[in-house]
Structure formats: structure tokens, C-alpha cells
């Protein structure tokens, strides 16, 4: 997958900045965000599943062990493996079941990622979430990273809501429903807004973690 061009992202950021003061501040401080890019493949879905409800560090270690076990994480390899061996990498039982469910859907043709990549966004969403193990959050992130859908949007992502709160300099972040309604004003660039918010808060955390200069 190729990320949207900087020209396209710049146009989107200008539009978002005009629609939302929080995004205007993020764009002013961060500039055009780096677009996260992934391959539209089975392994990308499994990686997203492995990262659910875990810290980035812990999930990264689990995914590294999973990759080391398989060499290449493919539907055929997962279906041929002993589920307990996959669990030994650190995957929970539900996550292993989800990996198997998605592998079965792909080998039978119920899930066709090439079709997902070339379909309109609504159809792509429906095909992804029709498979057990792919929830809305996973589907939206796959559409963002692996398909490059500029209006894909992971509803309920705590990092996005926290970044928006901090940018507005308010005490309490929006509830999920309120935040989802608010994000409607970002269409058709909700995915770009997500990258702006993630990029801004990650940059903020990185600067906070830097040691203070010696006096």
C-alpha cells in the first residue's frame, strides 16, 4: 500500500484545521503527519489482533515471537499449526481463535482482501466485520494502514479522544458517542484527523520523555 501523497495530505490537513480548532493546533505544531503504512495481508490483520488491549511494548514482543514461530504468518501456516503453540507465543485463546477464523475465511474465499482494497469503504467495512474476529476497530485500522482509506476511523480509540482533549485544553474528554458525532465534521478526512491526533500526542510524549538539558 502507498500512503496518500503529501500534497493530498496537506489539502486534507488544511480542511481539517478550518473545521476544528484542536486539529488546527495539531497541524500547526506537527505539520503533515506521517501516514502509517502496512501491507493488505492476513499478517496485518493478525498483528492488529495481537495488539488489542495490550501495551505497545507487550504486544510487540508477542508479535515478534509469533513471527519467529511462523517465519511468515499466512492463513495456511496458522491453520496447520497447533493452537497451543500459537498460544505459547503469548496470544490469548480468543486471539488464537480469531486468527484461525480469519484464516478459514480467507482460504474459503469469504474474505478477499484484494476485493476489500478495491471496494468502496462501506462495502469493505461490511466484508471485514462479517468475519468472526474482525471487529469495527480492527477493520478501521486495517482500512487506514493497509488500504489507505482517508475516511476510515477507529471509533472509541482512547488515544484519539485523549489527544483531542489535550489540544482543546479542557479537563474532561468527550464520551465515545459525543466524540463520534463530533468527528462527523472531519469527513471525508477522518483518517487524516486520526493520524494528526496520534502524531501530535506521540510527539508530545516523546518530548516529555527526553531528559532535561543539564544546567
Amino acid at each position: 500500500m502507498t500512503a496518500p501523497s503529501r500534497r493530498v495530505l496537506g489539502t486534507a490537513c488544511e480542511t481539517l484545521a478550518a473545521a476544528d480548532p484542536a486539529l488546527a493546533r495539531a497541524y500547526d505544531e506537527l505539520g503533515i503527519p506521517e501516514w502509517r503504512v502496512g501491507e493488505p495481508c492476513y499478517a496485518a490483520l493478525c498483528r492488529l489482533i495481537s495488539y488489542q488491549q495490550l501495551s505497545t511494548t507487550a504486544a510487540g514482543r508477542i508479535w515478534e515471537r509469533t513471527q519467529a514461530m511462523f517465519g511468515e504468518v499466512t492463513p495456511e501456516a496458522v491453520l496447520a499449526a497447533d493452537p497451543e503453540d500459537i498460544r505459547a507465543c503469548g496470544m490469548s485463546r480468543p486471539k488464537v481463535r480469531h486468527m484461525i477464523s480469519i484464516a478459514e475465511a480467507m482460504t474459503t474465499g469469504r474474505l478477499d482482501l484484494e476485493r476489500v482494497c478495491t471496494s468502496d469503504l462501506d462495502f469493505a467495512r461490511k466484508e471485514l466485520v462479517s468475519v468472526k474476529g474482525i471487529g469495527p476497530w480492527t477493520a478501521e485500522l486495517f482500512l487506514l494502514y493497509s488500504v489507505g482509506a482517508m475516511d476510515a476511523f477507529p471509533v472509541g480509540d482512547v488515544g484519539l479522544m485523549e489527544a483531542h482533549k489535550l489540544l482543546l485544553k479542557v479537563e474532561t474528554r468527550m464520551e465515545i458517542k459525543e466524540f463520534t458525532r463530533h468527528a462527523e465534521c472531519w469527513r471525508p478526512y477522518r483518517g487524516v484527523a486520526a493520524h494528526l491526533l496520534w502524531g501530535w500526542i506521540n510527539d508530545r510524549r516523546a518530548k516529555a520523555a527526553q531528559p532535561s538539558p543539564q544546567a
Side-chain angles (χ1 to χ4, degrees):
M1 177 257 160
T2 302
S5 69
R6 288 186 64 81
R7 180 184 63 79
V8 169
L9 288 175
T11 298
C13 288
E14 294 287 348
T15 302
L16 291 167
D20 188 322
L23 296 184
R25 180 184 167 197
Y27 182 42
D28 181 61
E29 296 182 11
L30 181 71
I32 297 173
E34 181 180 354
W35 190 274
R36 303 181 187 185
V37 178
E39 292 298 320
C41 61
Y42 171 73
L45 286 167
C46 290
R47 185 180 184 276
L48 288 171
I49 288 168
S50 73
Y51 272 70
Q52 290 174 0
Q53 299 177 323
L54 291 175
S55 70
T56 301
T57 301
R61 287 196 294 264
I62 291 170
W63 182 241
E64 285 177 3
R65 291 195 291 268
T66 304
Q67 286 183 303
M69 171 186 166
F70 286 107
E72 183 181 0
V73 183
T74 65
E76 295 77 14
V78 167
L79 290 176
D82 185 333
E84 290 303 311
D85 289 340
I86 306 176
R87 281 202 69 229
C89 296
M91 293 282 190
S92 66
R93 288 188 190 279
K95 289 182 179 181
V96 173
R97 288 197 296 269
H98 293 162
M99 290 175 66
I100 293 171
S101 172
I102 297 167
E104 290 173 343
M106 289 186 64
T107 56
T108 61
R110 287 193 299 113
L111 175 61
D112 184 331
L113 295 184
E114 184 176 344
R115 183 169 60 224
V116 166
C117 290
T118 56
S119 298
D120 68 73
L121 198 51
D122 286 339
F123 184 92
R125 284 188 180 109
K126 288 176 182 177
E127 178 158 358
L128 287 167
V129 299
S130 71
V131 178
K132 183 176 176 60
I134 304 179
W137 185 84
T138 301
E140 295 297 323
L141 289 186
F142 182 81
L143 291 168
L144 266 180
Y145 303 155
S146 298
V147 180
M150 295 177 70
D151 198 43
F153 186 65
V155 171
D157 188 278
V158 175
L160 296 181
M161 294 190 290
E162 181 66 14
H164 195 263
K165 182 201 81 170
L166 293 172
L167 283 160
L168 288 179
K169 299 182 180 181
V170 295
E171 293 295 322
T172 306
R173 65 179 178 231
M174 297 179 187
E175 298 292 336
I176 292 175
K177 288 184 178 180
E178 182 185 4
F179 188 68
T180 303
R181 286 195 300 270
H182 177 78
E184 287 296 307
C185 73
W186 302 341
R187 286 183 182 272
Y189 300 126
R190 291 181 302 167
V192 182
H195 277 81
L196 259 177
L197 292 170
W198 280 323
W200 180 84
I201 198 168
N202 288 337
D203 182 67
R204 186 175 188 268
R205 288 167 177 166
K207 288 176 179 176
Q210 290 176 356
S212 301
Q214 297 295 319

